[in-house]
Amino acid sequence: FMKEKSSKDVFETQCWCYRVVSDPYQVFAEVFSTNDIAHLRGFIKKILHYSEAQKVYAKEPPCDVLLSMKLIRSLIKAAHMLKEKKNGPIDVSEHDAFNKNYYCSHYQSSNEWEQLPRFLSMKEFCNPYRVFKKIFKYQSPDEWLHDWEELVDCALSQCSGELNLEMIAVYTHLCKLVEATHLINVREVNHIGGMLKNRILIS
């Protein structure tokens, strides 16, 4: 008898993707086919703001808030698996900074300007794997996951300013994480679950 493959959901994708995704690169692909970089970057900013404010975050339906929270949680877990990787297969130089092939997805709805990284240094743009080392040097994946869920909880409740986090550092690291995983997805992943991605359907 063949040994049944483990269905352990290490990246916690089943709760939003409805299937277990065991490849970190496929996690990136699934996340950015569900939501884009601009939305996730803006979502992080709003969550951190409302976690410190007296108001409750009510810009989106609670189910959408929880979906975005789960997407970023999966990104943290997938990025951690790749934290020892030194670089990707594509050599990107500073001269490629405005070449949209290196940062822009090919979805019809994509916006070149919104997908341009805002938080990455030039070295991180050229090699986004650098970001993973820094984010997990700042704190462990378990600490990131705990803080992220606490931030969302606070944003959805009346509590404010009770987390004692370095908000600028947390904001910067999380946005860098979203941008780095987006770049790796654009440059290195050409399919989602075996189906070619970023293809415009011709009727």
Side-chain angles (χ1 to χ4, degrees):
F1 292 102
M2 286 180 67
K3 226 177 187 180
E4 192 178 337
K5 284 186 179 178
S6 170
S7 59
K8 193 176 179 186
D9 192 9
V10 293
F11 302 124
E12 292 191 68
T13 58
Q14 196 156 26
C15 58
W16 58 267
C17 187
Y18 305 110
R19 67 185 182 89
V20 173
V21 180
S22 57
D23 179 343
Y25 293 96
Q26 285 291 292
V27 173
F28 299 164
E30 291 283 3
V31 166
F32 291 108
S33 71
T34 303
N35 237 315
D36 63 31
I37 179 177
H39 174 84
L40 292 177
R41 202 164 41 202
F43 175 74
I44 292 167
K45 183 177 182 180
K46 290 173 196 166
I47 287 297
L48 267 65
H49 169 74
Y50 280 94
S51 71
E52 291 279 289
Q54 295 290 341
K55 297 177 182 177
V56 174
Y57 180 70
K59 300 288 184 186
E60 302 174 50
C63 60
D64 291 347
V65 174
L66 292 176
L67 171 61
S68 297
M69 182 270 284
K70 291 170 185 175
L71 295 178
I72 291 170
R73 184 176 66 194
S74 292
L75 285 182
I76 292 170
K77 285 174 167 271
H80 181 250
M81 182 169 275
L82 299 172
K83 74 180 177 71
E84 298 301 329
K85 187 155 183 177
K86 292 186 176 171
N87 46 47
I90 298 172
D91 187 24
V92 180
S93 74
E94 294 184 16
H95 302 295
D96 299 315
F98 292 103
N99 183 335
K100 66 180 183 179
N101 291 312
Y102 292 108
Y103 71 86
C104 189
S105 73
H106 295 83
Y107 289 115
Q108 252 179 322
S109 59
S110 67
N111 178 301
E112 291 175 33
W113 173 243
E114 287 182 346
Q115 293 192 59
L116 188 70
R118 311 279 200 273
F119 291 83
L120 301 183
S121 67
M122 183 56 71
K123 285 184 177 179
E124 290 165 344
F125 175 84
C126 295
N127 181 13
Y129 289 97
R130 286 173 168 266
V131 171
F132 302 159
K133 284 193 186 307
K134 289 179 184 175
I135 193 171
F136 297 113
K137 187 177 179 182
Y138 181 79
Q139 59 181 18
S140 72
D142 286 341
E143 288 171 316
W144 273 115
L145 294 167
H146 174 268
D147 287 351
W148 175 237
E149 293 190 17
E150 287 283 296
L151 284 162
V152 175
D153 285 345
C154 280
L156 294 175
S157 67
Q158 290 289 352
C159 68
S160 62
E162 298 171 14
L163 297 179
N164 296 317
L165 298 176
E166 296 176 2
M167 287 299 187
I168 299 298
V170 170
Y171 175 51
T172 303
H173 277 301
L174 287 174
C175 285
K176 279 176 177 273
L177 174 79
V178 167
E179 292 184 345
T181 52
H182 165 79
L183 291 182
I184 291 168
N185 176 51
V186 167
R187 296 171 188 174
E188 299 184 37
V189 189
N190 60 15
H191 70 95
I192 304 177
M195 300 285 289
L196 285 175
K197 67 169 190 168
N198 296 348
R199 299 291 172 152
I200 299 170
L201 293 174
I202 300 172
S203 54

